[in-house]
Every structure is written in structure tokens, then in C-alpha cells.
Amino acid sequence: MNPIEEALAGGVGLGTAILFPALGELISERAGVVNLGTEGAMLGGALGSVVVTIETGNVWLGLLVGIICGAAASAIHGWLTIRRKADQLASGLVLWFLVLGMTSTFGADYNNQPVNAMTKVAIPGLSKIPWVGPILFDHEILVYVGYVAVAAIWYVFYRTRAGLALRATGERPDVVATTGGRPQLVQFLAVTIGGAFAGLGGAFFANVVASSWTENLTHGYGFVAVAVVLFAAWRPLWVLGGSFLFGIALNLPYVLQAHQVQLNQALLDALPYLVTLLALAALARRGGADAPEELGKALNRSSA
């Protein structure tokens, strides 16, 4: 592949580690709950998956445990914010600090131990399409799961009663309650499912991208996932694009270095986050009008 194809193909792989937690945050925020603890759910999922994969040699069991760890972490946030009415931003940050400390402590014995990384599976026919094939259809299975997840979430949001209930809860939970719905249950399930996606993203990053565990492995990607949802204006297809945009920016420095392009290392390290900030600056004004009404109220209470 030429350098451009390398940057794009690698960006799709790295972007998938952002896509899963971003989809999870999308589900949570559509129900009216922001979860800054997404970073913590990713860390928990990453460590849980690595430990189980190393101990059992079964990467799929490791991924399952990673999903469970992410869901459990976010369920704590859901209980605090929905049942106990804790501040959403504060609760998310506390959850992140808690999981960061726990994973740093319990993951010490697994630092830099290699895991059984997943192998790539080229989709017959599609992977042979010039340009598009190598970029989109020559990856690990979980990348394709990400494609399907985006389509499935779009369908659920806009074509099912469950999606209607979720979106209505994010807009007017009091109206949902008066019609016999259970908005608190919907929100709790949305936050927990969102955490499961974040855990899967952390597990993917640990088992496929890094192929090992190190302290604070996710390096703030969970916060980027939260930003991607704003960039995407709470639309599933835009979440896919935003995640891959960040993934390309993250992969680009490695491609440039591989081709001996001399650039300032600090600039290369900051490039992914600079791209994210520029995208948010350009699109935040547009996206704010599309925010779920209950989400806006929660953020206003947090900043008051």
C-alpha cells in the first residue's frame, strides 16, 4: 500500500477503538445522561480482557469480560446519577479516577505482557476492490462488528419503539413518565449498555492495537469518544466518520515516521487531539442545537 492507503487503513483500525465507546456514549447521551466515566469503562474493559486472555489463552472470553467490566463501571455511574441524583460530570470524573487507580494497582503484574492478538480477516471480493478494499475490508473481525453496530444503532434509534422510547426519554422524561413509561430504567439501561460498548472498545485497543497492557493504556481516548459524539451531533453515521477521522490522525504520525518524514515529535503526538479540537470548534455551534433536551439541562445543572 502507498502511504495514503496506509494512513487510512490504519486509521480505520485505530478508529474502531474510538468508535465503540463513542457509540456507547451516544446511547447514553440520547437518553439524557453524559458519562465522562467512559474513559474509566474503557480502562476497566482493557485490563479485564487482558487478564482473562493471558490466563485462559482465549481472546473471545477476554473480550466478553472486557464488555462486562465496562458495563459494571458505567452501571455505578448510572446508579449515582439517576437514582441518587449525583452531578453527572463529577460522577464521571470520580469513576475515571477510581478505575484508573484500580487498574494501575491490579494491572501491575500484567504490564507489557503480550496477549493473543486477533488476526485480520479479509472479506472475499470486497477486500480486492482498489483503494476501498484494503482500507475498509482487510481488518480484524471486530472492525466489521463496528460497521454492523453503527447500522444496528441507527435502525434501533429511528425504526423501533425502543429507540423512540430512548429518544423521548432524552428529550422529555416527565412526559414519558406520564404516559406510563419508566424513564429512569431507560436511562440506567442506556448508561450500562453504553459502558459495555466502552469496555469493548478498551478490550479491542488492548488486544488488537496495543497487544498488551500498560498503566493508563487508553491515554484519554474515552474523553475523545465523548467529544466525537458532540462532533457527530448525536447521529450514528457521523459518529462513525468522527471516530475514523481521529483514528487517521492518530495513525498518521506512525506512517510519516515509517517513511522517514522528519517532523517535530511533540507536534506529531499532539496531532490527533489538535484535529479533534479543530473539528469540535468548527461544528460545536451546529451540534448544540441538536443536543437532547434533558442532556442540556443536566449539563446546565453541573455548571451552575
Side-chain angles (χ1 to χ4, degrees):
M1 289 190 292
N2 61 50
I4 296 177
E5 287 180 317
E6 290 179 16
L8 295 177
V12 169
L14 286 171
T16 300
I18 304 298
L19 175 63
F20 285 124
L23 289 174
E25 182 64 16
L26 172 67
I27 294 170
S28 179
E29 291 193 14
R30 274 291 195 173
V33 181
V34 64
N35 184 8
L36 294 184
T38 295
E39 172 73 4
M42 284 190 73
L43 279 172
L47 179 59
S49 68
V50 165
V51 170
V52 173
T53 300
I54 290 176
E55 297 297 337
T56 67
N58 189 327
V59 66
W60 297 106
L61 183 58
L63 292 174
L64 176 61
V65 171
I67 291 171
I68 294 171
C69 289
S74 289
I76 296 173
H77 175 70
W79 180 78
L80 288 172
T81 57
I82 298 166
R83 295 293 298 174
R84 308 304 300 174
K85 303 300 181 183
D87 182 275
Q88 292 186 9
L89 300 185
S91 173
L93 291 174
V94 168
L95 176 63
W96 168 48
F97 282 121
L98 173 63
V99 178
L100 176 61
M102 292 179 64
T103 54
S104 298
T105 300
F106 295 112
D109 292 338
Y110 295 91
N111 277 334
N112 299 314
Q113 290 192 36
V115 297
N116 296 328
M118 301 176 65
T119 57
K120 291 185 177 181
V121 178
I123 298 181
L126 295 178
S127 62
K128 300 299 183 182
I129 300 174
W131 275 82
V132 176
I135 294 171
L136 295 178
F137 301 113
D138 188 10
H139 293 280
E140 295 79 11
I141 291 177
L142 284 182
V143 174
Y144 309 134
V145 172
Y147 300 162
V148 174
V150 172
I153 289 173
W154 180 90
Y155 182 83
V156 170
F157 274 7
Y158 302 112
R159 294 292 186 270
T160 68
R161 292 177 59 88
L164 177 61
L166 178 76
R167 291 184 289 118
T169 298
E171 297 291 345
R172 297 291 179 87
D174 51 338
V175 174
V176 173
T178 59
T179 58
R182 302 177 64 184
Q184 287 192 344
L185 177 61
V186 172
Q187 289 181 325
F188 181 80
L189 290 175
V191 172
T192 303
I193 293 171
F197 273 95
L200 179 58
F204 176 85
F205 189 85
N207 285 278
V208 176
V209 178
S211 297
S212 66
W213 164 261
T214 56
E215 183 177 338
N216 193 25
L217 177 70
T218 53
H219 302 298
Y221 294 171
F223 295 112
V224 173
V226 176
V228 164
V229 176
L230 173 60
F231 161 80
W234 295 270
R235 295 182 176 92
L237 294 179
W238 279 73
V239 168
L240 176 69
S243 299
F244 287 173
L245 173 65
F246 179 84
I248 293 167
L250 185 66
N251 186 54
L252 185 59
Y254 300 105
V255 175
L256 293 176
Q257 289 174 346
H259 290 272
Q260 299 181 342
V261 177
Q262 300 299 321
L263 290 175
N264 183 277
Q265 186 60 45
L267 177 61
L268 290 177
D269 292 340
L271 181 61
Y273 305 98
L274 179 61
V275 170
T276 302
L277 288 173
L278 291 175
L280 289 174
L283 298 169
R285 182 181 297 274
R286 182 214 66 188
D290 299 318
E293 186 174 325
E294 187 65 14
L295 182 65
K297 292 178 182 178
L299 295 178
N300 288 335
R301 287 195 295 268
S302 297
S303 61

